[in-house]
Amino acid sequence: GVLTGSLSATSPSTGVTVDGALAKNYELTPGQERTITFVLSWYFPDGFHGHKDVPSWNFRGQQYENWWTNAADVDNYVKLNFEKLYNDSKLYHDVLYSSNIPRYIIDRINSNLCVLKSPTAFWAKNGYFGLWESTSNEEVWFGNAKHVYQYAQSISWIFPELSRKIMVQNLNTQTTDGLLPSRDGEMLKTLDGHLGTILGVYRDFLLTDDNAWLYTVWTKTKKAMDYIILTYDSNKDGIFIGSYDNTLDCVTSGTNP
């Protein structure tokens, strides 16, 4: 049959959704097959991201506003680049799932990467890549928690450019004495978050062998290391002394190599 009704629709009031349908007319001869591809796209400009009460961690706009002006632009991009988008996505799937790595490990790799396409992550118009610590609605989980995300490794191997961006963002929160706060927009400290950024810089350099990038982050990385030595290893014997916060949400004390 043929669908009838308006070609466009808007919600009559806040909280009211509008249903729609999309169809394509075509004819088939006996035994013939045909595939019809539909594109579902969206465009929400000037969206708000972050913590409303933390000025340094709230952002306006989406990164894709720098690339497209509306949903129709997105549709057109997909139309013009569909073959590459499809083939690259399928290649990623096929390489991952054709591996002889045990399936439960593959599931853990892929499940963690899915966080990047969930509401847990956002890419603001100004280029900042944000990560919530939790899917909870509580804003207390704000700030790209270094003591949480420094444990994530898959992103560095699959999306090394994005990983380097996050390392640069972490270093840009550095205080004058060299501390890397546990969260962007907060001055608390966690030892594993601080050291995780240092190790993350080293890891990302080894994965890309990008000397030019390393030179841009070296000064802050060295300062972060000097902070650790001065604060936790004043006698420079390679053994931490004193007490230090960590991702276990407690203070650890005693010597620690």
Side-chain angles (χ1 to χ4, degrees), residues 32-90:
Q32 183 183 10
E33 295 182 359
R34 183 176 178 183
T35 299
I36 304 297
T37 300
F38 293 92
V39 176
L40 175 63
S41 61
W42 57 88
Y43 192 90
F44 298 101
D46 199 36
F48 174 80
H49 300 287
H51 195 311
K52 64 180 182 300
D53 297 323
V54 180
S56 62
W57 213 73
N58 61 59
F59 309 88
R60 278 288 179 186
Q62 324 284 5
Q63 177 64 199
Y64 60 66
E65 292 179 58
N66 297 311
W67 307 329
W68 303 295
T69 57
N70 51 46
D73 278 354
V74 180
D75 289 344
N76 191 53
Y77 175 84
V78 173
K79 178 181 178 181
L80 294 176
N81 297 277
F82 181 80
E83 184 175 356
K84 174 176 172 51
L85 293 171
Y86 176 81
N87 289 338
D88 286 354
S89 299
K90 188 175 185 300

Side-chain angles (χ1 to χ4, degrees), residues 22-33:
L22 185 64
K24 172 68 175 178
N25 293 326
Y26 58 92
E27 295 182 359
L28 293 177
T29 59
Q32 183 183 10
E33 295 182 359

Side-chain angles (χ1 to χ4, degrees), residues 217-236:
V217 299
W218 174 249
T219 300
K220 290 182 178 179
T221 304
K222 181 178 182 301
K223 188 173 183 178
M225 194 68 198
D226 289 339
Y227 172 87
I228 290 295
I229 295 173
L230 179 65
T231 306
Y232 301 108
D233 187 23
S234 56
N235 60 6
K236 300 182 180 180

Side-chain angles (χ1 to χ4, degrees), residues 143-156:
N144 286 36
K146 299 178 184 67
H147 56 295
V148 174
Y149 282 103
Q150 65 95 6
Y151 291 101
Q153 301 298 321
S154 299
I155 181 177
S156 303

Side-chain angles (χ1 to χ4, degrees), residues 31 71 105 107 160 171 185-187 190 208 220-221 230-231:
I105 295 180
D107 179 68
L171 291 170
E186 188 176 69
M187 286 298 106
T190 51
T208 62
K220 290 182 178 179
T221 304
L230 179 65
T231 306

